[in-house]
Amino acid sequence: MKIAYISTFPPRECGIATFNFNLMNAINANFPERKSSLDGGFVVALNDSENIQEYEYPADVKYVIRQNHQKDYIRAANYINTSTADAVILEHEFGIYGGESGIYILPLINRLEKPLISILHTILKDPSYVQRIIIREIAEQSSKIIVMSKRAVEFLTTIYDIPEDKIQIIEHGVPDLEAPEVNPVKSLSQFKNRRVLLTFGLLSRNKGLETVVKALPKIVEKHPDVMYVVLGNTHPGVIKNSGEEYRDHLKSLAAQLKVSQHLSFINKFVAEDELIDYLTAAEVYVTPYLNEAQITSGTLSYAVGAGAAVVSTPYWHATELLADGRGRLFDFKNADMLADIVNELLDNDKVLKELKDNAYEYGLHLRWPATGAEFIKIAQEAAATHDFSDKILKNSIVDPEILPKFSLTHVLRLTDDTGIVQHAKYGIPNLKEGYCLDDNSRALIMALMAYQRSGSNEAFKLLPIYLSYIHYMQTEDGNFRNFLSFSRQYLDEVGSEDSFGRTIWALGHLISCAASNSYREFAMEIFHKSYPHFKALKHIRGQANTIIGIALYLQAYPTDEGMVAELVRLTQPLIDAYENTRSDDWEWFEESMTYDNAILPLALLHSCEITGNQKAKDIALKTMAFLDKLTLSNGYLSPVGNDGWYYRGGKFPTFDQQAIETMAMVLMHFQAYQIFRKPQYIEKMFLSYKWFLGENTLRAPLYDHETKGCCDGLLPTGINRNQGAESTLAYLISHLTVLKAFELEYEYNKMETQVKVC
């Protein structure tokens, strides 16, 4: 029995990593004939770093997935499928995988040809739509779902609609170790001649350690020899964002309460053989978590397994594990109640010993070798009953292997502290042309999408630059200028309606998915100041861009009736334009198709999504079909060229194709999929995107792999090699949309006509 494990792994400091390391060793311990752990399989490790070499992994790790690299997941699936593994064990925790709530794991498990056993470490009582989808999809792809508590089974069956016969409880394993006869920890200064309260694990705000510190004065008053020891490093994610702020807060709180001499931190990550020394040297082990939403706690299991006297808040795992006299519970954040329980235990050695004995006896059946044997049985059954011919496989509509790696290199080259420069000579910023509102608004949308996708720090740092430019270009009456020279001189008094609409789009996007509250508040201020000018818009593209911005705004503020009314009002001119122009052979809004054409049906799709306007929906579908027939009928995208445009009854212009046409097509088809859930729209979206990569009239790529920019257009003589902001941002927004669409692969692939692999 060889197993492929998908998980974080030591030396990365992570509870899931430790669990998987212990599980792998526990399974191997049941096969004494094995000469090394490699005989039992291998690990596919999850990195929280772009650098594959970030951790010095042992030989057990055969493949590394970078958390935010979608291609790595697909390649990992291929690696596992071609390996000698008999089964796969997946450790699941939302935060260790990439994409929204870790959705990148789904394409991997959908491609697996081996039986899958999934261990769920977190099961939320109130999951988001995406979180619920992820858990249900994992369950569907798994031979068995492993959870560690009865409450977890209840949640999976009632909240996630997973059949109970697919779920099995295996409690969290604990070290197979006994307390040493001579405990070296008891000679440490923090323990010597002290009665120790202990907490261990990675430090973070949700651990609630301040409750114990607040209980100390009342405990120390009665038991002056008490020391509260906090064992463990601060969580790496907390260190990255907040440093040692939480540890310093606890020290400051202890000083205020005059119990500093009774609080000690041991800042290190300890191995299990050392941990047992700490647990058995302490009088009482405390887990003071702040709320009930903890379905599994490895630290709690370890404490019980070591025979510690545990006092805990009543989170879900604690209420089960500490039942029947195996521990004591106190109310969340109730320091007085905690102090009373601790004092009672320290006053009564008999009660304290009974608590420890009960925990120890229960912990015997949790020890890792016994736990490993249960997993072996499940894996053997899964391998014996797995029939790969029953697994439906098909190629993804979106092929991530052909996508270049997402890069902000050229955007950073074009951006200074004022904003993004409009134009470039080849890949070099053309400072003579200055800046424009259109591009800075597009840049804000792109940076938001990039930050949403991967938490990119580079993208986050760009947001205030583009938002500040928009603010600088807003006039006193709420309108916007468009052009600014490199010397920061205004070049116009009022910008175009197109630039106005694109700015409202960008602001609506920011309001709907703000990276921070301050950015949202700033965007709201600019948005509402511009509101009086919505009614002055006369041209349908300016109206269309504004419609998209309002629709996005209403995703965050759906009860704003005034803005809903404005959306309805702005939608009507597009409906009127279509009805006044259309004929059986011309399903369009104007007598000609000019520029940014797909933006018009895209706006109607956004409008009908919010308002339910059936007429807007019907017109969107008809004009989309007309546009698709004109531009996609050759099997690749050939958008309306700007060299003359396309007039009713005239000749279709092939060249001077622009990147913004492609971006609008990508966005239009993705929005259509989100509303109608038909895979054909994903196919058309990806086909449109491939225009950038060379599937176009000239079979020439416009994306430049060297500069990471996008060429400005497709000419009859070749490619316009200048790589300005408009084309580069159009490419990047399209690329990010495709990546978002790929996250939904598990959904639209099932809708396709599927053929069994025999």
Short mmCIF file of all heavy atoms in Angstrom, two decimals, residues 437 441 470-471 473-481 494 496-497 499-508 511 521-537 542 545-547 549-550 553 563 566 569-570:
data_model
loop_
_atom_site.label_atom_id
_atom_site.label_comp_id
_atom_site.label_asym_id
_atom_site.label_seq_id
_atom_site.Cartn_x
_atom_site.Cartn_y
_atom_site.Cartn_z
N LEU A 437 -7.26 59.11 -17.89
CA LEU A 437 -8.18 58.54 -16.91
C LEU A 437 -8.60 57.13 -17.31
O LEU A 437 -8.72 56.25 -16.46
CB LEU A 437 -9.40 59.45 -16.77
CG LEU A 437 -10.41 59.08 -15.68
CD1 LEU A 437 -9.77 59.19 -14.30
CD2 LEU A 437 -11.64 60.00 -15.77
N SER A 441 -8.20 53.96 -14.78
CA SER A 441 -9.39 53.25 -14.33
C SER A 441 -9.28 51.76 -14.64
O SER A 441 -9.58 50.91 -13.81
CB SER A 441 -10.64 53.84 -14.98
OG SER A 441 -10.83 55.18 -14.56
N ILE A 470 -7.45 58.99 -10.12
CA ILE A 470 -8.88 59.24 -10.38
C ILE A 470 -9.37 60.42 -9.54
O ILE A 470 -10.08 61.31 -10.05
CB ILE A 470 -9.69 57.97 -10.07
CG1 ILE A 470 -9.39 56.88 -11.09
CG2 ILE A 470 -11.19 58.27 -10.04
CD1 ILE A 470 -9.98 55.52 -10.76
N HIS A 471 -8.98 60.45 -8.29
CA HIS A 471 -9.38 61.56 -7.41
C HIS A 471 -8.83 62.89 -7.92
O HIS A 471 -9.53 63.91 -7.91
CB HIS A 471 -8.88 61.28 -5.99
CG HIS A 471 -9.15 62.38 -5.02
ND1 HIS A 471 -8.15 63.18 -4.50
CD2 HIS A 471 -10.32 62.83 -4.49
CE1 HIS A 471 -8.69 64.06 -3.67
NE2 HIS A 471 -9.99 63.88 -3.66
N MET A 473 -8.20 63.75 -10.90
CA MET A 473 -8.84 64.17 -12.14
C MET A 473 -10.31 64.53 -11.97
O MET A 473 -10.95 64.96 -12.93
CB MET A 473 -8.70 63.06 -13.20
CG MET A 473 -7.26 62.71 -13.53
SD MET A 473 -6.27 64.10 -14.10
CE MET A 473 -6.83 64.24 -15.79
N GLN A 474 -10.86 64.35 -10.77
CA GLN A 474 -12.26 64.72 -10.55
C GLN A 474 -12.36 66.23 -10.33
O GLN A 474 -11.62 66.81 -9.54
CB GLN A 474 -12.86 63.97 -9.37
CG GLN A 474 -14.37 64.19 -9.23
CD GLN A 474 -15.03 63.24 -8.25
OE1 GLN A 474 -14.46 62.92 -7.21
NE2 GLN A 474 -16.23 62.78 -8.58
N THR A 475 -13.30 66.85 -11.03
CA THR A 475 -13.50 68.29 -10.91
C THR A 475 -14.39 68.60 -9.71
O THR A 475 -14.98 67.71 -9.10
CB THR A 475 -14.15 68.84 -12.19
OG1 THR A 475 -15.41 68.17 -12.40
CG2 THR A 475 -13.25 68.60 -13.40
N GLU A 476 -14.50 69.87 -9.39
CA GLU A 476 -15.28 70.28 -8.21
C GLU A 476 -16.74 69.87 -8.32
O GLU A 476 -17.40 69.58 -7.32
CB GLU A 476 -15.18 71.80 -8.02
CG GLU A 476 -13.85 72.28 -7.48
CD GLU A 476 -13.52 71.66 -6.13
OE1 GLU A 476 -14.42 71.62 -5.27
OE2 GLU A 476 -12.38 71.19 -5.94
N ASP A 477 -17.27 69.84 -9.56
CA ASP A 477 -18.69 69.50 -9.72
C ASP A 477 -18.92 67.99 -9.85
O ASP A 477 -20.05 67.55 -10.07
CB ASP A 477 -19.28 70.23 -10.93
CG ASP A 477 -18.73 69.75 -12.26
OD1 ASP A 477 -17.76 68.95 -12.25
OD2 ASP A 477 -19.26 70.16 -13.31
N GLY A 478 -17.86 67.19 -9.71
CA GLY A 478 -18.02 65.74 -9.72
C GLY A 478 -17.71 65.06 -11.04
O GLY A 478 -17.65 63.83 -11.10
N ASN A 479 -17.49 65.85 -12.11
CA ASN A 479 -17.13 65.26 -13.40
C ASN A 479 -15.64 64.89 -13.38
O ASN A 479 -14.97 65.07 -12.36
CB ASN A 479 -17.44 66.24 -14.53
CG ASN A 479 -17.78 65.54 -15.83
OD1 ASN A 479 -17.34 64.43 -16.08
ND2 ASN A 479 -18.59 66.19 -16.67
N PHE A 480 -15.12 64.44 -14.50
CA PHE A 480 -13.72 64.04 -14.55
C PHE A 480 -13.03 64.63 -15.77
O PHE A 480 -13.60 64.67 -16.86
CB PHE A 480 -13.58 62.51 -14.63
CG PHE A 480 -14.11 61.79 -13.43
CD1 PHE A 480 -15.41 61.27 -13.44
CD2 PHE A 480 -13.33 61.62 -12.30
CE1 PHE A 480 -15.90 60.59 -12.34
CE2 PHE A 480 -13.82 60.95 -11.19
CZ PHE A 480 -15.11 60.44 -11.21
N ARG A 481 -11.80 65.10 -15.59
CA ARG A 481 -10.91 65.33 -16.71
C ARG A 481 -10.36 63.97 -17.14
O ARG A 481 -10.46 63.00 -16.41
CB ARG A 481 -9.78 66.27 -16.31
CG ARG A 481 -10.23 67.68 -15.94
CD ARG A 481 -9.01 68.52 -15.58
NE ARG A 481 -9.36 69.91 -15.37
CZ ARG A 481 -9.68 70.44 -14.20
NH1 ARG A 481 -9.70 69.67 -13.10
NH2 ARG A 481 -9.97 71.72 -14.09
N VAL A 494 -12.93 68.76 -19.47
CA VAL A 494 -13.89 67.68 -19.23
C VAL A 494 -13.51 66.51 -20.13
O VAL A 494 -13.27 66.70 -21.33
CB VAL A 494 -15.34 68.12 -19.54
CG1 VAL A 494 -16.30 66.95 -19.33
CG2 VAL A 494 -15.75 69.30 -18.67
N SER A 496 -14.02 62.54 -21.89
CA SER A 496 -15.06 61.93 -22.71
C SER A 496 -16.05 61.16 -21.84
O SER A 496 -15.77 60.82 -20.69
CB SER A 496 -14.42 60.97 -23.72
OG SER A 496 -13.84 59.87 -23.03
N GLU A 497 -17.22 60.87 -22.39
CA GLU A 497 -18.19 60.04 -21.69
C GLU A 497 -17.65 58.63 -21.49
O GLU A 497 -17.95 57.97 -20.48
CB GLU A 497 -19.52 60.01 -22.45
CG GLU A 497 -20.27 61.32 -22.37
CD GLU A 497 -21.71 61.20 -22.86
OE1 GLU A 497 -22.16 60.06 -23.11
OE2 GLU A 497 -22.38 62.24 -22.97
N SER A 499 -14.51 57.79 -20.89
CA SER A 499 -13.60 57.79 -19.73
C SER A 499 -14.39 57.95 -18.44
O SER A 499 -14.04 57.36 -17.41
CB SER A 499 -12.55 58.89 -19.87
OG SER A 499 -13.12 60.18 -19.84
N PHE A 500 -15.47 58.72 -18.48
CA PHE A 500 -16.34 58.86 -17.31
C PHE A 500 -16.91 57.48 -16.92
O PHE A 500 -16.84 57.05 -15.77
CB PHE A 500 -17.48 59.84 -17.61
CG PHE A 500 -18.43 60.02 -16.46
CD1 PHE A 500 -18.25 61.05 -15.55
CD2 PHE A 500 -19.51 59.17 -16.27
CE1 PHE A 500 -19.13 61.24 -14.48
CE2 PHE A 500 -20.39 59.32 -15.20
CZ PHE A 500 -20.19 60.37 -14.30
N GLY A 501 -17.47 56.79 -17.93
CA GLY A 501 -18.10 55.49 -17.65
C GLY A 501 -17.11 54.46 -17.16
O GLY A 501 -17.40 53.69 -16.23
N ARG A 502 -15.91 54.43 -17.77
CA ARG A 502 -14.91 53.46 -17.33
C ARG A 502 -14.48 53.73 -15.88
O ARG A 502 -14.17 52.81 -15.13
CB ARG A 502 -13.70 53.50 -18.26
CG ARG A 502 -13.99 52.90 -19.63
CD ARG A 502 -12.76 52.86 -20.52
NE ARG A 502 -13.13 52.40 -21.85
CZ ARG A 502 -13.02 53.12 -22.96
NH1 ARG A 502 -12.52 54.35 -22.89
NH2 ARG A 502 -13.39 52.62 -24.13
N THR A 503 -14.48 54.99 -15.51
CA THR A 503 -14.11 55.35 -14.14
C THR A 503 -15.19 54.88 -13.16
O THR A 503 -14.88 54.36 -12.08
CB THR A 503 -13.89 56.86 -14.02
OG1 THR A 503 -12.89 57.26 -14.96
CG2 THR A 503 -13.45 57.24 -12.61
N ILE A 504 -16.45 55.05 -13.53
CA ILE A 504 -17.55 54.57 -12.67
C ILE A 504 -17.48 53.05 -12.55
O ILE A 504 -17.71 52.48 -11.47
CB ILE A 504 -18.91 55.01 -13.24
CG1 ILE A 504 -18.99 56.54 -13.32
CG2 ILE A 504 -20.06 54.47 -12.38
CD1 ILE A 504 -18.69 57.26 -12.00
N TRP A 505 -17.12 52.38 -13.64
CA TRP A 505 -16.92 50.93 -13.61
C TRP A 505 -15.85 50.56 -12.58
O TRP A 505 -16.05 49.68 -11.73
CB TRP A 505 -16.53 50.47 -15.01
CG TRP A 505 -16.28 48.99 -15.19
CD1 TRP A 505 -16.17 48.03 -14.22
CD2 TRP A 505 -16.10 48.31 -16.44
NE1 TRP A 505 -15.92 46.80 -14.79
CE2 TRP A 505 -15.89 46.94 -16.14
CE3 TRP A 505 -16.11 48.73 -17.77
CZ2 TRP A 505 -15.66 46.00 -17.15
CZ3 TRP A 505 -15.89 47.79 -18.76
CH2 TRP A 505 -15.69 46.43 -18.45
N ALA A 506 -14.71 51.24 -12.66
CA ALA A 506 -13.60 50.94 -11.74
C ALA A 506 -14.00 51.21 -10.29
O ALA A 506 -13.70 50.42 -9.39
CB ALA A 506 -12.38 51.77 -12.12
N LEU A 507 -14.69 52.33 -10.06
CA LEU A 507 -15.11 52.65 -8.69
C LEU A 507 -16.13 51.65 -8.18
O LEU A 507 -16.08 51.23 -7.01
CB LEU A 507 -15.69 54.07 -8.66
CG LEU A 507 -14.69 55.20 -8.93
CD1 LEU A 507 -15.43 56.53 -9.10
CD2 LEU A 507 -13.66 55.32 -7.81
N GLY A 508 -17.06 51.23 -9.05
CA GLY A 508 -18.05 50.23 -8.65
C GLY A 508 -17.38 48.91 -8.31
O GLY A 508 -17.76 48.24 -7.34
N ILE A 511 -15.72 49.31 -4.90
CA ILE A 511 -16.73 49.33 -3.83
C ILE A 511 -17.26 47.92 -3.57
O ILE A 511 -17.50 47.53 -2.43
CB ILE A 511 -17.88 50.29 -4.19
CG1 ILE A 511 -17.38 51.74 -4.15
CG2 ILE A 511 -19.08 50.12 -3.25
CD1 ILE A 511 -18.30 52.75 -4.82
N GLU A 521 -14.29 53.49 1.23
CA GLU A 521 -14.87 54.78 1.63
C GLU A 521 -14.45 55.89 0.68
O GLU A 521 -15.26 56.76 0.31
CB GLU A 521 -14.45 55.11 3.06
CG GLU A 521 -15.10 54.20 4.11
CD GLU A 521 -14.44 54.30 5.46
OE1 GLU A 521 -13.49 55.12 5.61
OE2 GLU A 521 -14.84 53.55 6.38
N PHE A 522 -13.17 55.86 0.27
CA PHE A 522 -12.67 56.87 -0.67
C PHE A 522 -13.39 56.73 -2.01
O PHE A 522 -13.84 57.73 -2.61
CB PHE A 522 -11.17 56.69 -0.83
CG PHE A 522 -10.46 57.83 -1.49
CD1 PHE A 522 -11.03 59.09 -1.58
CD2 PHE A 522 -9.20 57.65 -2.04
CE1 PHE A 522 -10.37 60.15 -2.19
CE2 PHE A 522 -8.52 58.69 -2.65
CZ PHE A 522 -9.11 59.95 -2.73
N ALA A 523 -13.51 55.50 -2.50
CA ALA A 523 -14.20 55.25 -3.76
C ALA A 523 -15.66 55.67 -3.69
O ALA A 523 -16.21 56.23 -4.65
CB ALA A 523 -14.09 53.77 -4.14
N MET A 524 -16.31 55.40 -2.57
CA MET A 524 -17.72 55.80 -2.38
C MET A 524 -17.86 57.31 -2.50
O MET A 524 -18.81 57.82 -3.12
CB MET A 524 -18.21 55.33 -1.01
CG MET A 524 -18.42 53.84 -0.90
SD MET A 524 -20.02 53.30 -1.54
CE MET A 524 -21.10 53.85 -0.23
N GLU A 525 -16.94 58.03 -1.90
CA GLU A 525 -17.00 59.50 -1.94
C GLU A 525 -16.89 60.01 -3.37
O GLU A 525 -17.67 60.88 -3.80
CB GLU A 525 -15.85 60.06 -1.09
CG GLU A 525 -15.83 61.57 -0.99
CD GLU A 525 -14.69 62.05 -0.11
OE1 GLU A 525 -14.57 61.57 1.03
OE2 GLU A 525 -13.91 62.92 -0.58
N ILE A 526 -15.95 59.47 -4.14
CA ILE A 526 -15.78 59.89 -5.54
C ILE A 526 -17.00 59.47 -6.37
O ILE A 526 -17.51 60.24 -7.20
CB ILE A 526 -14.50 59.26 -6.13
CG1 ILE A 526 -13.27 59.70 -5.33
CG2 ILE A 526 -14.33 59.64 -7.59
CD1 ILE A 526 -11.99 58.96 -5.70
N PHE A 527 -17.47 58.25 -6.14
CA PHE A 527 -18.61 57.70 -6.88
C PHE A 527 -19.85 58.58 -6.70
O PHE A 527 -20.50 58.98 -7.67
CB PHE A 527 -18.87 56.28 -6.39
CG PHE A 527 -19.95 55.53 -7.12
CD1 PHE A 527 -19.66 54.77 -8.23
CD2 PHE A 527 -21.27 55.56 -6.67
CE1 PHE A 527 -20.65 54.04 -8.89
CE2 PHE A 527 -22.27 54.86 -7.31
CZ PHE A 527 -21.96 54.10 -8.44
N HIS A 528 -20.19 58.86 -5.45
CA HIS A 528 -21.41 59.64 -5.19
C HIS A 528 -21.28 61.09 -5.64
O HIS A 528 -22.27 61.71 -6.05
CB HIS A 528 -21.76 59.56 -3.70
CG HIS A 528 -22.34 58.24 -3.30
ND1 HIS A 528 -23.53 57.77 -3.79
CD2 HIS A 528 -21.87 57.26 -2.46
CE1 HIS A 528 -23.79 56.57 -3.28
NE2 HIS A 528 -22.79 56.24 -2.48
N LYS A 529 -20.07 61.62 -5.61
CA LYS A 529 -19.87 62.99 -6.10
C LYS A 529 -20.11 63.08 -7.60
O LYS A 529 -20.56 64.11 -8.12
CB LYS A 529 -18.45 63.45 -5.76
CG LYS A 529 -18.19 64.93 -6.03
CD LYS A 529 -16.81 65.35 -5.56
CE LYS A 529 -16.57 66.84 -5.82
NZ LYS A 529 -15.22 67.26 -5.35
N SER A 530 -19.84 61.98 -8.31
CA SER A 530 -20.02 61.98 -9.77
C SER A 530 -21.46 61.69 -10.17
O SER A 530 -21.84 61.88 -11.33
CB SER A 530 -19.10 60.92 -10.39
OG SER A 530 -19.54 59.61 -10.06
N TYR A 531 -22.28 61.25 -9.24
CA TYR A 531 -23.64 60.78 -9.53
C TYR A 531 -24.49 61.76 -10.35
O TYR A 531 -25.19 61.34 -11.28
CB TYR A 531 -24.34 60.42 -8.21
CG TYR A 531 -25.79 60.04 -8.36
CD1 TYR A 531 -26.16 58.83 -8.95
CD2 TYR A 531 -26.80 60.89 -7.91
CE1 TYR A 531 -27.49 58.48 -9.08
CE2 TYR A 531 -28.14 60.55 -8.04
CZ TYR A 531 -28.47 59.34 -8.63
OH TYR A 531 -29.79 58.99 -8.76
N PRO A 532 -24.47 63.07 -10.06
CA PRO A 532 -25.31 64.00 -10.84
C PRO A 532 -25.04 63.96 -12.34
O PRO A 532 -25.91 64.33 -13.14
CB PRO A 532 -24.97 65.37 -10.25
CG PRO A 532 -24.49 65.08 -8.86
CD PRO A 532 -23.76 63.78 -8.96
N HIS A 533 -23.86 63.50 -12.74
CA HIS A 533 -23.52 63.50 -14.16
C HIS A 533 -24.01 62.25 -14.89
O HIS A 533 -23.91 62.18 -16.12
CB HIS A 533 -22.00 63.65 -14.32
CG HIS A 533 -21.48 64.96 -13.81
ND1 HIS A 533 -21.48 66.11 -14.57
CD2 HIS A 533 -21.01 65.31 -12.58
CE1 HIS A 533 -21.01 67.10 -13.85
NE2 HIS A 533 -20.71 66.64 -12.64
N PHE A 534 -24.53 61.28 -14.14
CA PHE A 534 -25.07 60.08 -14.80
C PHE A 534 -26.18 60.46 -15.78
O PHE A 534 -26.29 59.90 -16.87
CB PHE A 534 -25.63 59.10 -13.77
CG PHE A 534 -24.62 58.43 -12.88
CD1 PHE A 534 -23.27 58.77 -12.93
CD2 PHE A 534 -25.01 57.44 -12.00
CE1 PHE A 534 -22.34 58.16 -12.11
CE2 PHE A 534 -24.09 56.81 -11.17
CZ PHE A 534 -22.75 57.17 -11.22
N LYS A 535 -27.00 61.42 -15.38
CA LYS A 535 -28.16 61.79 -16.20
C LYS A 535 -27.78 62.56 -17.45
O LYS A 535 -28.57 62.68 -18.38
CB LYS A 535 -29.14 62.61 -15.35
CG LYS A 535 -29.84 61.79 -14.27
CD LYS A 535 -30.82 62.65 -13.48
CE LYS A 535 -31.68 61.78 -12.55
NZ LYS A 535 -30.90 60.94 -11.64
N ALA A 536 -26.54 63.08 -17.48
CA ALA A 536 -26.11 63.87 -18.64
C ALA A 536 -25.50 63.02 -19.74
O ALA A 536 -25.21 63.53 -20.82
CB ALA A 536 -25.09 64.92 -18.18
N LEU A 537 -25.32 61.74 -19.50
CA LEU A 537 -24.70 60.87 -20.50
C LEU A 537 -25.59 60.70 -21.72
O LEU A 537 -26.77 60.36 -21.59
CB LEU A 537 -24.39 59.51 -19.88
CG LEU A 537 -23.36 59.50 -18.74
CD1 LEU A 537 -23.33 58.14 -18.06
CD2 LEU A 537 -21.97 59.86 -19.26
N GLY A 542 -20.65 55.32 -23.14
CA GLY A 542 -20.52 55.93 -21.82
C GLY A 542 -21.59 55.42 -20.87
O GLY A 542 -21.32 55.13 -19.70
N ASN A 545 -20.67 51.60 -19.93
CA ASN A 545 -19.63 51.49 -18.89
C ASN A 545 -20.17 51.89 -17.53
O ASN A 545 -19.86 51.26 -16.52
CB ASN A 545 -18.43 52.36 -19.27
CG ASN A 545 -17.54 51.72 -20.33
OD1 ASN A 545 -16.80 50.79 -20.05
ND2 ASN A 545 -17.62 52.23 -21.55
N THR A 546 -21.00 52.91 -17.50
CA THR A 546 -21.58 53.37 -16.24
C THR A 546 -22.54 52.33 -15.68
O THR A 546 -22.59 52.10 -14.46
CB THR A 546 -22.29 54.72 -16.44
OG1 THR A 546 -21.34 55.66 -16.97
CG2 THR A 546 -22.86 55.26 -15.13
N ILE A 547 -23.31 51.70 -16.54
CA ILE A 547 -24.22 50.62 -16.12
C ILE A 547 -23.45 49.53 -15.39
O ILE A 547 -23.87 49.04 -14.33
CB ILE A 547 -24.96 50.03 -17.34
CG1 ILE A 547 -26.07 50.99 -17.80
CG2 ILE A 547 -25.55 48.65 -17.02
CD1 ILE A 547 -26.67 50.63 -19.15
N GLY A 549 -20.59 49.77 -13.83
CA GLY A 549 -20.15 50.29 -12.53
C GLY A 549 -21.26 50.32 -11.51
O GLY A 549 -21.07 49.95 -10.34
N ILE A 550 -22.44 50.74 -11.92
CA ILE A 550 -23.59 50.79 -11.00
C ILE A 550 -23.98 49.38 -10.57
O ILE A 550 -24.28 49.13 -9.40
CB ILE A 550 -24.79 51.51 -11.66
CG1 ILE A 550 -24.45 52.98 -11.91
CG2 ILE A 550 -26.03 51.40 -10.78
CD1 ILE A 550 -25.51 53.72 -12.72
N TYR A 553 -21.59 48.22 -8.02
CA TYR A 553 -21.88 48.94 -6.77
C TYR A 553 -23.08 48.29 -6.05
O TYR A 553 -23.05 48.09 -4.83
CB TYR A 553 -22.18 50.40 -7.09
CG TYR A 553 -22.85 51.17 -5.96
CD1 TYR A 553 -22.10 51.83 -5.00
CD2 TYR A 553 -24.24 51.24 -5.86
CE1 TYR A 553 -22.71 52.54 -3.96
CE2 TYR A 553 -24.86 51.93 -4.84
CZ TYR A 553 -24.09 52.58 -3.89
OH TYR A 553 -24.71 53.27 -2.87
N MET A 563 -30.14 54.07 -6.68
CA MET A 563 -29.17 53.59 -7.66
C MET A 563 -29.78 52.51 -8.53
O MET A 563 -29.45 52.40 -9.72
CB MET A 563 -27.92 53.08 -6.94
CG MET A 563 -26.66 53.16 -7.78
SD MET A 563 -26.25 54.83 -8.37
CE MET A 563 -25.68 55.60 -6.86
N GLU A 566 -31.61 54.34 -11.11
CA GLU A 566 -30.68 54.92 -12.09
C GLU A 566 -30.19 53.85 -13.06
O GLU A 566 -30.02 54.11 -14.26
CB GLU A 566 -29.49 55.56 -11.36
CG GLU A 566 -28.58 56.38 -12.25
CD GLU A 566 -29.28 57.57 -12.88
OE1 GLU A 566 -30.29 58.07 -12.32
OE2 GLU A 566 -28.83 58.00 -13.97
N ARG A 569 -32.94 53.35 -15.51
CA ARG A 569 -33.04 54.50 -16.43
C ARG A 569 -31.94 54.46 -17.49
O ARG A 569 -32.18 54.68 -18.67
CB ARG A 569 -32.94 55.80 -15.63
CG ARG A 569 -33.25 57.06 -16.46
CD ARG A 569 -32.83 58.32 -15.75
NE ARG A 569 -31.38 58.41 -15.58
CZ ARG A 569 -30.55 58.74 -16.57
NH1 ARG A 569 -31.02 59.01 -17.79
NH2 ARG A 569 -29.25 58.81 -16.36
N LEU A 570 -30.70 54.13 -17.07
CA LEU A 570 -29.59 54.11 -18.02
C LEU A 570 -29.67 52.93 -18.99
O LEU A 570 -29.12 52.99 -20.09
CB LEU A 570 -28.26 54.05 -17.25
CG LEU A 570 -27.69 55.37 -16.75
CD1 LEU A 570 -26.52 55.13 -15.81
CD2 LEU A 570 -27.25 56.26 -17.92
#
